[in-house]
Amino acid sequence: MLTDRQLMILQVIIDDFIESAKPVGSRALSKKDTLPYSAATIRNEMADLEESGFLEKTHTSSGRVPSEKGYRYYVDHLIGPEIHQHGLGIIERLTNNGIYEFEQIVQTAAEALSKLTNYTSIILGPEMFEATVKQIQVLALSDQSAVAILVTNTGHVEHRSFTLPKGVSSSDIEKLVNILNDRLQGVPLYRIPEVIQNEVASLMMKYMNGVDSSINWIRTLFTQEQAVKLYFGGKANILMQPEFNDVDRIRSFYSLMEREDEIVNLLKNSNQGIKVSIGHENGVEEIKDLSLITASYHIGGGQMGTIALLGPTRMEYKKVLSLMESISKEMTGAMGKWYSDKS
């Protein structure tokens, strides 16, 4: 159990280190008006905090830096988020500027969040299997090839190129598009194979030629694994942090950014609400020296996405937690309205 004096000293040390990125010494602390204690008293308390695991001593300085345990205690017990009385207005400004499509809104929000914090922002779109079909188009590129365009209710657009079966004419393609839109509009993506098998196939047999091969390639075309969309902002921001001054750490970070499947799994495992994972709590080697803050947002129809900020463990937690709470509420409100307008 920490004493009131230890709590005060711990908070000042962490606040100071977050601002300066330099180890904090007892002499410098004793000169602060917020700590009415002598350098000797502060030094003794710092030694106790180090022994308890809240502080660490660096090899290059006599000062101390916060440990992961120290940051965790700081986040859980010593700070509260800053209050934004009127919100950030990020999403409102986007819609006022005529931006209404889901992907544009989310990408711009990711970029705005990274600029406000100087950290790397990542926004996970809704699980695409929970999205529904809004429209399907099939465009012939040649006699042998075509591209299918799938638009979902979330504004996600996906293009899939494929080889046309022999004997499929432009008239067949037109009939197919009409059948697909008639039967698949409003259908969740995960139910597409079921509807193709039970409804679309019989209509294709009635109105199209060469149905057997056509049914097979339609089924294959629309049962591919659905990607979960990631939106990044400020990937290079991490390079501006003093902690990233060696090539190996930079290479490791960018290697993870390229492995989007791992990032998706990391963010999908986040709970609803706001969650702070510090250092090794992330369970990923490449970000063992970073903090990850996630917040959920809701779109409508039970769909949920995740907003994330990735930065050094020396993160401005008070500011970031407030920003994440605000943008989560704004996105949930705006996306709920967007979803109802699109439905």
Side-chain angles (χ1 to χ4, degrees), residues 152-195:
T152 74
N153 63 319
T154 65
H156 178 75
V157 180
E158 191 165 339
H159 302 77
R160 298 178 184 175
S161 299
F162 59 95
T163 301
L164 288 169
K166 291 181 179 180
V168 175
S169 65
S170 58
S171 175
D172 289 328
I173 292 177
E174 184 177 350
K175 292 174 184 176
L176 173 63
V177 171
N178 290 335
I179 292 170
L180 290 174
N181 281 304
D182 179 65
R183 296 296 171 172
L184 295 180
Q185 191 173 53
V187 171
L189 298 192
Y190 72 88
R191 288 196 58 227
I192 288 179
E194 173 193 342
V195 177

Side-chain angles (χ1 to χ4, degrees), residues 3 5 15 20 39 41 53 66 84 87 90 134 171 207 212 242 257 265 267 288 302-303 306-307 341:
T3 66
R5 185 162 65 189
D15 286 339
S20 69
T41 298
H84 292 276
I90 294 174
K134 180 180 179 181
S171 175
Y207 296 108
D212 291 341
M257 292 297 100
N265 289 332
L267 300 188
K288 66 180 181 180
Q303 298 178 83
T306 304
I307 309 162
D341 291 344

Side-chain angles (χ1 to χ4, degrees), residues 8-130:
M8 185 183 297
I9 291 172
L10 178 62
Q11 180 163 4
V12 172
I13 289 173
I14 296 179
D15 286 339
D16 194 82
F17 185 68
I18 286 173
E19 182 178 352
S20 69
K22 297 178 181 179
V24 183
S26 57
R27 181 174 175 81
L29 290 175
S30 67
K31 296 180 181 180
K32 292 183 177 293
D33 295 336
T34 52
L35 290 178
Y37 310 117
S38 68
T41 298
I42 294 173
R43 186 161 50 251
N44 290 335
E45 296 289 16
M46 288 175 69
D48 289 341
L49 288 168
E50 181 181 358
E51 185 177 345
S52 299
F54 293 97
L55 298 177
E56 296 174 342
K57 190 171 183 178
T58 65
H59 298 294
T60 57
S61 169
S62 60
R64 268 52 166 210
V65 300
S67 65
E68 287 184 14
K69 180 179 178 180
Y71 282 124
R72 170 51 60 195
Y73 193 91
Y74 177 81
V75 169
D76 291 345
H77 303 289
L78 298 182
I79 62 169
E82 297 175 348
I83 303 300
H84 292 276
Q85 296 291 343
H86 305 291
L88 300 175
I90 294 174
I91 308 301
E92 183 180 357
R93 286 196 295 272
L94 295 179
T95 54
N96 286 344
N97 289 332
I99 299 176
Y100 297 103
E101 286 303 320
F102 174 84
E103 296 204 17
Q104 288 179 285
I105 290 174
V106 177
Q107 182 61 62
T108 309
E111 293 169 358
L113 188 58
S114 71
K115 289 178 182 177
L116 286 169
T117 60
N118 289 321
Y119 303 137
T120 298
S121 65
I122 310 169
I123 300 184
L124 175 67
E127 178 67 64
M128 292 308 296
F129 272 105
E130 296 176 353

